[in-house]
PDB file of all heavy atoms in Angstrom:
ATOM      1  N   GLY A  51      70.082  -4.491  43.241  1.00  0.00           N
ATOM      2  CA  GLY A  51      70.484  -3.376  44.103  1.00  0.00           C
ATOM      3  C   GLY A  51      70.032  -3.537  45.554  1.00  0.00           C
ATOM      4  O   GLY A  51      70.311  -2.739  46.390  1.00  0.00           O
ATOM      5  N   ILE A  81      56.043 -18.230  49.341  1.00  0.00           N
ATOM      6  CA  ILE A  81      56.223 -18.947  48.073  1.00  0.00           C
ATOM      7  C   ILE A  81      57.149 -20.102  48.422  1.00  0.00           C
ATOM      8  O   ILE A  81      58.249 -19.904  48.922  1.00  0.00           O
ATOM      9  CB  ILE A  81      56.767 -18.048  46.972  1.00  0.00           C
ATOM     10  CG1 ILE A  81      55.972 -16.858  46.749  1.00  0.00           C
ATOM     11  CG2 ILE A  81      56.955 -18.890  45.700  1.00  0.00           C
ATOM     12  CD1 ILE A  81      56.438 -15.924  45.574  1.00  0.00           C
ATOM     13  N   PRO A 138      47.081 -31.078  24.235  1.00  0.00           N
ATOM     14  CA  PRO A 138      47.911 -30.578  25.323  1.00  0.00           C
ATOM     15  C   PRO A 138      47.277 -30.938  26.668  1.00  0.00           C
ATOM     16  O   PRO A 138      46.098 -31.168  26.750  1.00  0.00           O
ATOM     17  CB  PRO A 138      47.962 -29.068  25.099  1.00  0.00           C
ATOM     18  CG  PRO A 138      46.726 -28.779  24.318  1.00  0.00           C
ATOM     19  CD  PRO A 138      46.372 -29.933  23.417  1.00  0.00           C
ATOM     20  N   LEU A 195      72.391 -24.496  38.715  1.00  0.00           N
ATOM     21  CA  LEU A 195      73.724 -24.887  39.084  1.00  0.00           C
ATOM     22  C   LEU A 195      73.562 -26.315  39.706  1.00  0.00           C
ATOM     23  O   LEU A 195      73.657 -26.476  40.933  1.00  0.00           O
ATOM     24  CB  LEU A 195      74.365 -23.930  40.057  1.00  0.00           C
ATOM     25  CG  LEU A 195      75.882 -23.979  40.123  1.00  0.00           C
ATOM     26  CD1 LEU A 195      76.489 -23.680  38.717  1.00  0.00           C
ATOM     27  CD2 LEU A 195      76.409 -23.017  41.136  1.00  0.00           C
ATOM     28  N   TYR A 221      68.606 -39.950  25.273  1.00  0.00           N
ATOM     29  CA  TYR A 221      67.939 -41.220  25.782  1.00  0.00           C
ATOM     30  C   TYR A 221      66.847 -41.690  24.838  1.00  0.00           C
ATOM     31  O   TYR A 221      65.652 -41.538  25.085  1.00  0.00           O
ATOM     32  CB  TYR A 221      67.412 -41.004  27.158  1.00  0.00           C
ATOM     33  CG  TYR A 221      68.419 -40.637  28.186  1.00  0.00           C
ATOM     34  CD1 TYR A 221      68.172 -39.656  29.086  1.00  0.00           C
ATOM     35  CD2 TYR A 221      69.605 -41.312  28.269  1.00  0.00           C
ATOM     36  CE1 TYR A 221      69.104 -39.265  30.123  1.00  0.00           C
ATOM     37  CE2 TYR A 221      70.562 -40.978  29.210  1.00  0.00           C
ATOM     38  CZ  TYR A 221      70.298 -39.969  30.187  1.00  0.00           C
ATOM     39  OH  TYR A 221      71.170 -39.646  31.131  1.00  0.00           O
ATOM     40  N   ASP A 229      60.819 -36.918  15.219  1.00  0.00           N
ATOM     41  CA  ASP A 229      62.174 -37.338  14.939  1.00  0.00           C
ATOM     42  C   ASP A 229      62.570 -38.458  15.828  1.00  0.00           C
ATOM     43  O   ASP A 229      63.788 -38.800  15.922  1.00  0.00           O
ATOM     44  CB  ASP A 229      63.190 -36.148  15.029  1.00  0.00           C
ATOM     45  CG  ASP A 229      63.180 -35.505  16.442  1.00  0.00           C
ATOM     46  OD1 ASP A 229      62.717 -36.209  17.374  1.00  0.00           O
ATOM     47  OD2 ASP A 229      63.628 -34.382  16.527  1.00  0.00           O
ATOM     48  N   ILE A 294      73.179 -41.204  20.515  1.00  0.00           N
ATOM     49  CA  ILE A 294      71.860 -41.769  20.817  1.00  0.00           C
ATOM     50  C   ILE A 294      72.051 -43.075  21.561  1.00  0.00           C
ATOM     51  O   ILE A 294      72.760 -43.957  21.190  1.00  0.00           O
ATOM     52  CB  ILE A 294      71.094 -42.084  19.467  1.00  0.00           C
ATOM     53  CG1 ILE A 294      71.036 -40.896  18.558  1.00  0.00           C
ATOM     54  CG2 ILE A 294      69.716 -42.584  19.775  1.00  0.00           C
ATOM     55  CD1 ILE A 294      70.108 -39.782  18.886  1.00  0.00           C
ATOM     56  N   THR A 295      71.398 -43.187  22.692  1.00  0.00           N
ATOM     57  CA  THR A 295      71.455 -44.427  23.595  1.00  0.00           C
ATOM     58  C   THR A 295      70.124 -44.922  23.865  1.00  0.00           C
ATOM     59  O   THR A 295      69.075 -44.501  23.238  1.00  0.00           O
ATOM     60  CB  THR A 295      72.228 -44.139  24.848  1.00  0.00           C
ATOM     61  OG1 THR A 295      71.393 -43.162  25.557  1.00  0.00           O
ATOM     62  CG2 THR A 295      73.577 -43.576  24.597  1.00  0.00           C
ATOM     63  N   GLU A 313      47.218 -17.929  31.395  1.00  0.00           N
ATOM     64  CA  GLU A 313      47.253 -16.720  30.600  1.00  0.00           C
ATOM     65  C   GLU A 313      46.081 -15.851  30.881  1.00  0.00           C
ATOM     66  O   GLU A 313      46.154 -14.642  31.061  1.00  0.00           O
ATOM     67  CB  GLU A 313      47.300 -17.129  29.093  1.00  0.00           C
ATOM     68  CG  GLU A 313      48.624 -17.763  28.749  1.00  0.00           C
ATOM     69  CD  GLU A 313      48.560 -18.419  27.413  1.00  0.00           C
ATOM     70  OE1 GLU A 313      47.586 -18.257  26.641  1.00  0.00           O
ATOM     71  OE2 GLU A 313      49.587 -19.069  26.987  1.00  0.00           O
ATOM     72  N   SER A 330      70.585 -17.798  26.914  1.00  0.00           N
ATOM     73  CA  SER A 330      70.761 -17.401  28.361  1.00  0.00           C
ATOM     74  C   SER A 330      71.425 -18.545  29.108  1.00  0.00           C
ATOM     75  O   SER A 330      72.249 -18.306  30.020  1.00  0.00           O
ATOM     76  CB  SER A 330      69.461 -17.008  28.998  1.00  0.00           C
ATOM     77  OG  SER A 330      68.525 -18.036  29.004  1.00  0.00           O
TER      78      SER A 330
END
Side-chain angles (χ1 to χ4, degrees):
I81 304 184
L195 203 61
Y221 297 137
D229 59 21
I294 308 284
T295 60
E313 289 169 8
S330 63

